[in-house]
């Protein structure tokens, strides 16, 4: 964590999560369910058996249980992320590391990724899903406008989540081989902004920014934001839309058996020449087909 900015108050985040466990709102775990299904499916495409794994930071045993039910991952231990963000993992101790919907709350994400890569044995696999930058853009917009209108200024109320390109660069920086990232956008509809905010509280995903404004949002601000939300982001039936972006990522601990990218300048043919050769080949085939008619 040395030198990393403290974006999130992890103690407050823990308080929000404890409140979420007490709330237990039915259906509010839809993001976790979606992420688990996706990760299990991605792991099933890997023709490998992993003996020793770790679930990094997950609050629920649901992922470990799903991996066991699918017969994937071998022994998977749940490893918490505490305030220090130091993982109790020995170098080269894992074949597999997974993480769901927790990396977006990490203050030193480059450092945590480096720790995970260090814990993997050569040719070990890292799979994760985290919340991406387009998440809750509608809520962010209306809260900012409403607070500015009433207070004359606005504090950040929705965390700034990472962009997919930044995540790919961080995987490379941490030393992962064959890094891959992709994103999935979900549009979830609610009766009102307040129903959306109830789900966020039930997820333990409310504002935990260190630079948050200690003043709570007033009824006037919330009413104005809800009105703006309905005006700008409601469908014909009056229900509002909320965007959630899930970024899936994977990377391998380097191993000599893995495919290596070609070195710059090592190609045997220029791209332009390859395109021209393909065009001539296609023309030749078309000519032969017409001649045979």
């Amino acid at each position: 964590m040395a030198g990393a900015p403290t974006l999130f108050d992890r103690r407050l985040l823990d308080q929000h999560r404890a409140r979420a466990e007490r709330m237990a709102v039915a259906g509010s775990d839809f993001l976790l369910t979606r992420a688990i299904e996706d990760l299990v499916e991605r792991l099933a495409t890997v023709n490998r058996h992993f003996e020793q794994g770790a679930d990094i930071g997950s609050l629920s045993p649901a992922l470990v249980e799903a991996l066991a039910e699918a017969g994937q991952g071998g022994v998977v231990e749940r490893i918490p992320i505490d305030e220090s963000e130091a993982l109790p993992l020995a170098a080269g101790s894992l074949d597999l590391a997974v993480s769901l919907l927790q990396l977006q709350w990490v203050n030193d994400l480059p450092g945590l990724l480096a720790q995970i890569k260090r814990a993997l044995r050569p040719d070990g696999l890292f799979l994760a899903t985290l919340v991406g930058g387009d998440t809750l853009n509608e809520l962010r917009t209306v809260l900012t406008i409403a607070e500015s209108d009433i207070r004359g200024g606005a504090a950040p109320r929705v965390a700034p989540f990472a962009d997919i390109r930044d995540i790919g660069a961080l995987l490379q920086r941490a030393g992962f081989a064959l890094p891959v990232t992709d994103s999935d956008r979900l549009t979830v509809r609610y009766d009102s902004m307040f129903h959306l905010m109830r789900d966020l509280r039930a997820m333990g995903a409310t504002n935990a920014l260190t630079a948050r404004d200690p003043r709570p949002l007033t009824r006037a601000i919330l009413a104005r934001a809800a009105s703006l939300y309905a005006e700008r982001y409601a469908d014909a039936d009056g229900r509002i839309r909320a965007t959630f972006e899930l970024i899936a990522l994977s990377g391998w601990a380097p191993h000599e058996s893995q495919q290596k990218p070609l070195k710059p300048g090592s190609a045997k043919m220029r791209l332009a020449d390859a395109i021209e050769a393909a065009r001539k080949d296609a023309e030749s085939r078309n000519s032969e087909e017409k001649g045979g008619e």
Side-chain angles (χ1 to χ4, degrees), residues 42 126 128 164 167-168 171 177-182 247-252:
R42 285 189 287 141
F126 174 49
I164 187 171
I167 297 299
L171 284 173
L178 309 174
V180 175
T181 58
D182 60 76
I247 298 178
L249 57 97
S250 65
W252 295 82

Side-chain angles (χ1 to χ4, degrees), residues 186-208:
L186 288 73
T187 300
V188 183
R189 303 201 316 143
Y190 288 92
D191 289 339
S192 72
M193 184 191 78
F194 299 106
H195 289 84
L196 165 61
M197 295 176 73
R198 179 201 61 184
D199 260 10
L200 295 177
R201 285 193 295 271
M203 295 177 192
T206 46
N207 191 3

Side-chain angles (χ1 to χ4, degrees), residues 69-87:
E69 184 177 344
Q72 298 171 323
V75 177
V76 180
E77 180 183 0
R78 290 171 61 197
I79 304 296
I81 301 174
D82 63 17
E83 193 171 1
S84 72
E85 298 185 1
L87 300 178

Side-chain angles (χ1 to χ4, degrees), residues 20-266:
E21 289 182 4
R22 295 192 299 270
M23 290 181 66
V25 175
S28 62
D29 60 349
F30 65 91
L31 281 183
L32 178 62
T33 300
R34 176 74 170 256
I36 288 174
E37 291 174 352
D38 177 72
L39 190 145
V40 170
E41 183 178 330
R42 285 189 287 141
L43 188 57
T45 66
V46 180
N47 188 23
R48 282 274 304 277
H49 177 71
F50 299 95
E51 296 289 343
Q52 186 66 44
D55 177 4
I56 310 296
S58 293
L59 305 177
S60 164
L63 174 57
V64 173
E65 293 170 355
L67 292 173
E69 184 177 344
Q72 298 171 323
V75 177
V76 180
E77 180 183 0
R78 290 171 61 197
I79 304 296
I81 301 174
D82 63 17
E83 193 171 1
S84 72
E85 298 185 1
L87 300 178
L89 294 170
S93 60
L94 302 176
D95 300 303
L96 174 70
V98 295
S99 181
L100 286 186
L101 306 183
Q102 294 304 314
L103 299 186
Q104 69 269 7
W105 304 116
V106 171
N107 286 305
D108 185 12
L109 185 54
L112 193 79
L113 291 176
Q115 291 183 67
I116 294 171
K117 186 261 178 183
R118 176 179 176 272
L120 288 171
R121 298 173 183 134
D123 210 28
L125 176 62
F126 174 49
L127 292 174
T129 302
L130 71 160
V131 174
D134 284 347
T135 298
L136 300 175
N137 62 77
E138 304 92 349
L139 182 62
R140 180 185 291 108
T141 298
V142 299
L143 287 178
T144 299
I145 295 173
E147 191 171 11
S148 295
D149 288 347
I150 293 175
R151 282 182 172 161
R157 300 289 178 177
V158 178
F161 301 117
D163 180 85
I164 187 171
R165 290 167 295 185
D166 297 333
I167 297 299
L170 288 178
L171 284 173
Q172 291 183 315
R173 174 179 168 183
F176 284 99
L178 309 174
V180 175
T181 58
D182 60 76
S183 71
D184 183 19
R185 285 175 176 79
L186 288 73
T187 300
V188 183
R189 303 201 316 143
Y190 288 92
D191 289 339
S192 72
M193 184 191 78
F194 299 106
H195 289 84
L196 165 61
M197 295 176 73
R198 179 201 61 184
D199 260 10
L200 295 177
R201 285 193 295 271
M203 295 177 192
T206 46
N207 191 3
L209 289 167
T210 302
R212 66 192 179 279
D213 190 330
R215 297 175 298 173
L217 292 172
T218 65
R219 289 185 179 181
I221 294 173
L222 289 171
R224 173 63 175 151
S227 176
L228 287 169
Y229 211 131
E231 290 173 11
R232 297 185 176 206
Y233 305 112
D235 291 328
D237 61 0
R239 304 192 77 199
I240 63 165
R241 302 182 301 276
T243 299
F244 294 89
E245 181 186 15
L246 298 181
I247 298 178
L249 57 97
S250 65
W252 295 82
H255 187 265
E256 60 183 10
S257 66
Q258 294 165 353
Q259 292 181 334
K260 302 294 191 299
L262 291 175
K263 295 180 180 179
S266 64

